Amino acid sequence: MSKKETIISADGIDADVLFTEFKEHSVADFFKKNRQMLGLYGKQRTLTTIIHELVTNSLDACEEAGILPEIEVQISEIDKEYYEVAVKDNGPGIPENKVGNALGKLLAGTKFHRLVQTRGQQGIGVSGIILFSQITTGKPTKVVTGTTKDKTIALEISIDSKTNSPKITNKQTLEKKHRGTIIKSKFKEIIYKKGQNSVDEYLRRTAISNPHASIKFQDPFGEVTEYPRTIKKLPQIPKEVKPHPRGVSVDEMLSFARHSQARKVSSFLSQSFDRFGNKAIENVGKFVHFDINKDPKKLTWEEAEDVVKAIKETKFIAPNTDNLVPIGQKHIEKSLRAIVEPEFVFVTTRKPSVYKGGYAFQVEVGVAYGGGSGRLVSVDKKADEDGPRETRVSEIIRYANKAPLLFDAGACGITKTVQSVDWKRYGISNFDNAPVSVFVNVVSVHIPYTSAGKTAIADEDEIVTDIKLTLMDVSRKLGTYIIQKKREAEKKEKRRVFSKYVPEIVAALSKSTGKNKELLEKNLMTMVLEKLKLDEEEDKKIEQSEDAKK
Ligand SMILES: Nc1ncnc2c1ncn2[C@@H]1O[C@H](COP(=O)(O)OP(=O)(O)OP(=O)(O)O)[C@@H](O)[C@H]1O
Ligand SMILES: [Mg+2]
């Protein structure tokens, strides 16, 4: 008895005293303290994340407005670990009355509440960046934006982190019109470096997955890299979808019901969800323990639970997948050829599927091999007859809704799936050290990111299975190419060895037999060519029987 008392007794400070410290804080204050959750940590990583947030916004805005994106990125060094970043787009611009909340308020935007395939999804990308700029430099971010209706305005924006609200200063109308948005921000505690996780690599990958975009980048040394668009046609504009009943939780059901304009639960269900037809409503009506014609705003938790249970017992057509906009096999192939310059490339876009029962997704996988494929790690400048020798290792280029994922590779479902493939079966004995680029793009109206930093995708079973099956499909093609290449090399080597030794054998034979050198050489070459032809025929037979087995 006495022991128990000591464990749970509260002989310490009184709760009233402790709770004098009780305070509410805003989401902006939270992320100010936890900026690592937005991917804003590590000097190089932070800079790449800044570019990622700004460029994804520009691409999303252009695509939603049906504009072929023209994006310019400029990074200028102000001082040591102190830079100015500017991103300019030709998008739809931001209306004057929305610009404050769009850029200067965390968890606000046009995407979070909609199921539509966009790169951004949370409403904290650019606002997180503006907050980071002001906490490292004390300076506001400069914005120029113009829409077709409004005049072009310039303003400075910062965030009041206590209230998570925008502070706009120096607003003025510009004489010179600009349709689109320019965001210019200063940052300390960042560094510009070339290499694996650099802005350069991020933009190279963005160019691969967005062949319809034109991207220009000026680095702090003034060096300009341009990625002209390789296709002139805009991708289909992603459309918003309603949620599929299978993916909805009780809490979401209640919250949808509270905001519905419908007067009956039955019409609320058919209006708010995809695929909720009359038959499904009838079935739900039979299953639940309340009148399906009641006002959805009056739905209780228990009744919402009843509806969700009824949904589980009801047959629905699979979610609508027409609204997914993959890059497309031909376009990826074209980009990979133009940017990676491989020897071999093969790409497959798989048919759409559904994960967690409610979200449509689609997977695209490509492999590029040889040439400029893989990541260059060193160049041996001591040129041999084929020129300088490059050492390349494999790279996995991951994308979510066409936006490159550069960080947290180990935690990503895509990496795990690529690494789980038995590459030896496809002619690659050591995947890590092979000159191969594996391209994976997952598109969805809701990407299951593992964190707010949007750097890795969760390994949802259905997504992993689709990536794996598509990977096996493209890898088989790669395997056939590698085997053929090996055979060609062997044939070439055989021809080289024979032609090297024929003159020596001829000389020896002519000496010992006294026969005419030219005649001997002619006969011997005929024999050699005959032998090579026989070998080739034999190889062909083996190839054909292997193909037949497949
Ligand atoms: N360049 C731009 N052109 C037009 N609108 C923009 C641009 N950049 C941002 N916006 C608007 O500002 C909103 C907020 O952007 P923000 O990056 O904070 O969030 P998001 O893109 O919606 O989601 P995420 O946090 O996942 O990036 C966007 O939803 C969009 O409406
Ligand atoms: Mg964004």
Side-chain angles (χ1 to χ4, degrees):
M1 183 69 184
S2 61
K3 215 173 185 185
K4 256 189 188 168
E5 267 174 15
T6 54
I7 292 170
I8 59 164
S9 77
D11 286 348
I13 306 167
D14 195 72
D16 284 342
V17 177
L18 275 175
F19 274 69
T20 51
E21 283 300 315
F22 185 84
K23 269 183 197 147
E24 260 186 59
H25 38 255
S26 82
V27 61
D29 261 345
F30 174 80
F31 280 115
K32 202 166 146 183
K33 215 170 178 179
N34 293 293
R35 63 193 216 208
Q36 78 287 352
M37 289 186 185
L38 299 176
L40 298 170
Y41 65 96
K43 290 172 186 164
Q44 188 191 23
R45 177 183 177 136
T46 300
L47 177 56
T48 306
T49 304
I50 291 167
I51 301 298
H52 164 77
E53 296 300 352
L54 297 173
V55 169
T56 50
N57 279 353
S58 292
L59 287 168
D60 274 347
C62 287
E63 261 167 42
E64 278 208 277
I67 299 167
L68 273 172
E70 265 165 40
I71 296 174
E72 288 178 30
V73 177
Q74 186 173 343
I75 303 176
S76 327
E77 188 172 14
I78 300 170
D79 207 339
K80 190 171 177 271
E81 298 184 2
Y82 184 16
Y83 295 83
E84 181 174 74
V85 170
V87 174
K88 173 178 170 187
D89 66 50
N90 62 333
I94 308 172
E96 192 173 345
N97 62 348
K98 294 283 187 323
V99 66
N101 280 350
L103 307 180
K105 188 179 182 76
L106 278 89
L107 292 181
T110 47
K111 307 171 200 168
F112 178 75
H113 49 286
R114 294 157 69 214
L115 282 179
V116 58
Q117 182 194 315
T118 43
R119 296 161 182 83
Q121 157 173 314
Q122 305 169 150
I124 41 177
V126 67
S127 32
I129 297 307
I130 290 176
L131 189 67
F132 181 71
S133 162
Q134 82 189 43
I135 61 176
T136 57
T137 66
K139 293 191 168 34
T141 289
K142 293 190 167 113
V143 180
V144 171
T145 191
T147 64
T148 43
K149 279 195 197 139
D150 292 341
K151 44 208 181 296
T152 303
I153 49 165
L155 52 92
E156 290 185 352
I157 192 163
S158 54
I159 301 173
D160 178 345
S161 70
K162 288 276 165 276
T163 55
N164 183 28
S165 55
K167 271 199 289 192
I168 292 180
T169 45
N170 290 335
K171 189 158 95 177
Q172 49 181 301
T173 304
L174 296 186
E175 290 284 308
K176 205 172 153 221
K177 281 213 158 211
H178 171 72
R179 185 173 181 207
T181 303
I182 306 170
I183 295 184
K184 212 185 243 190
S185 251
K186 292 190 168 97
F187 303 93
K188 284 191 181 168
E189 298 172 36
I190 59 169
I191 201 160
Y192 173 81
K193 273 197 291 191
K194 303 259 178 203
Q196 236 193 107
N197 299 327
S198 62
V199 170
D200 299 64
E201 183 56 22
Y202 179 83
L203 293 174
R204 181 181 83 104
R205 292 186 183 196
T206 302
I208 294 175
S209 59
N210 294 277
H212 64 293
S214 140
I215 301 171
K216 192 170 167 185
F217 170 49
Q218 183 171 332
D219 74 13
F221 309 107
E223 205 179 296
V224 176
T225 311
E226 282 190 66
Y227 294 101
R229 59 174 62 89
T230 50
I231 53 164
K232 293 198 171 59
K233 218 178 128 224
L234 248 173
Q236 203 185 309
I237 298 177
K239 279 195 230 107
E240 188 175 347
V241 287
K242 287 183 197 166
H244 189 269
R246 286 252 184 274
V248 76
S249 66
V250 179
D251 181 59
E252 282 165 334
M253 177 63 72
L254 260 187
S255 122
F256 285 138
R258 297 267 146 84
H259 294 100
S260 169
Q261 299 298 319
R263 273 192 257 145
K264 296 175 182 173
V265 169
S266 52
S267 43
F268 150 66
L269 292 174
S270 71
Q271 282 167 21
S272 308
F273 298 97
D274 185 24
R275 313 295 202 199
F276 226 122
N278 290 342
K279 242 186 158 172
I281 290 175
E282 208 180 295
N283 200 52
V284 170
K286 278 187 208 149
F287 191 95
V288 296
H289 302 90
F290 63 91
D291 180 7
I292 193 117
N293 290 323
K294 78 175 275 185
D295 181 355
K297 288 201 177 58
K298 294 190 177 143
L299 212 62
T300 63
W301 176 271
E302 286 71 24
E303 287 165 348
E305 228 168 20
D306 233 13
V307 178
V308 172
K309 267 190 212 148
I311 285 173
K312 289 211 171 82
E313 301 300 321
T314 306
K315 270 198 185 139
F316 288 96
I317 307 173
N320 203 334
T321 53
D322 303 349
N323 303 310
L324 295 176
V325 187
I327 307 164
Q329 178 187 1
K330 269 197 206 146
H331 296 333
I332 301 172
E333 241 180 71
K334 206 169 168 193
S335 292
L336 285 172
R337 283 197 199 286
I339 297 167
V340 177
E341 297 181 26
E343 241 175 61
F344 168 90
V345 62
F346 188 76
V347 180
T348 291
T349 297
R350 197 176 173 75
K351 61 178 183 356
S353 310
V354 172
Y355 80 93
K356 275 214 180 120
Y359 298 118
F361 75 96
Q362 192 167 6
V363 158
E364 304 184 271
V365 178
V367 279
Y369 179 85
S373 310
R375 185 165 58 82
L376 181 65
V377 281
S378 65
V379 182
D380 181 358
K381 294 223 171 80
K382 274 183 257 144
D384 59 17
E385 61 199 41
D386 296 328
R389 189 160 297 170
E390 293 181 348
T391 306
R392 290 179 175 272
V393 294
S394 64
E395 63 171 358
I396 303 169
I397 33 188
R398 301 174 288 135
Y399 297 89
N401 284 351
K402 308 184 203 172
L405 306 174
L406 234 51
F407 302 103
D408 302 324
C412 185
I414 296 179
T415 316
K416 289 185 208 164
T417 316
V418 175
Q419 283 170 345
S420 74
V421 169
D422 181 8
W423 288 96
K424 286 191 195 75
R425 289 185 57 191
Y426 308 111
I428 296 183
S429 52
N430 182 348
F431 176 75
D432 289 346
N433 294 318
V436 55
S437 297
V438 179
F439 169 106
V440 180
N441 178 34
V442 178
V443 299
S444 177
V445 292
H446 178 79
I447 298 279
Y449 288 114
T450 56
S451 72
K454 295 182 294 179
T455 49
I457 297 181
D459 40 8
E460 293 286 346
D461 287 347
E462 296 88 345
I463 299 184
V464 166
T465 307
D466 269 24
I467 297 176
K468 187 135 192 189
L469 291 173
T470 326
L471 255 174
M472 282 158 73
D473 184 26
V474 293
S475 306
R476 265 194 292 277
K477 289 276 191 300
L478 173 64
T480 311
Y481 171 79
I482 292 178
I483 290 164
Q484 260 169 10
K485 193 180 160 183
K486 226 165 124 188
R487 287 204 187 115
E488 285 300 325
E490 280 166 6
K491 271 184 228 163
K492 202 172 147 196
E493 179 60 11
K494 262 188 201 166
R495 248 177 253 137
R496 192 190 65 81
V497 170
F498 281 133
S499 30
K500 187 177 163 196
Y501 290 110
V502 163
E504 286 177 34
I505 297 168
V506 167
L509 274 178
S510 156
K511 204 173 171 192
S512 60
T513 60
K515 290 217 163 117
N516 178 291
K517 251 187 182 177
E518 268 158 32
L519 191 68
L520 275 171
E521 186 161 349
K522 199 174 150 208
N523 288 345
L524 205 58
M525 270 323 281
T526 313
M527 278 166 70
V528 164
L529 291 176
E530 190 62 28
K531 165 85 177 105
L532 286 174
K533 206 170 142 203
L534 284 175
D535 282 356
E536 276 179 28
E537 276 166 12
E538 191 58 29
D539 284 349
K540 245 191 207 137
K541 270 189 209 154
I542 296 171
E543 260 172 55
Q544 276 162 358
S545 77
E546 274 172 8
D547 284 350
K549 268 188 231 160
K550 281 178 199 162

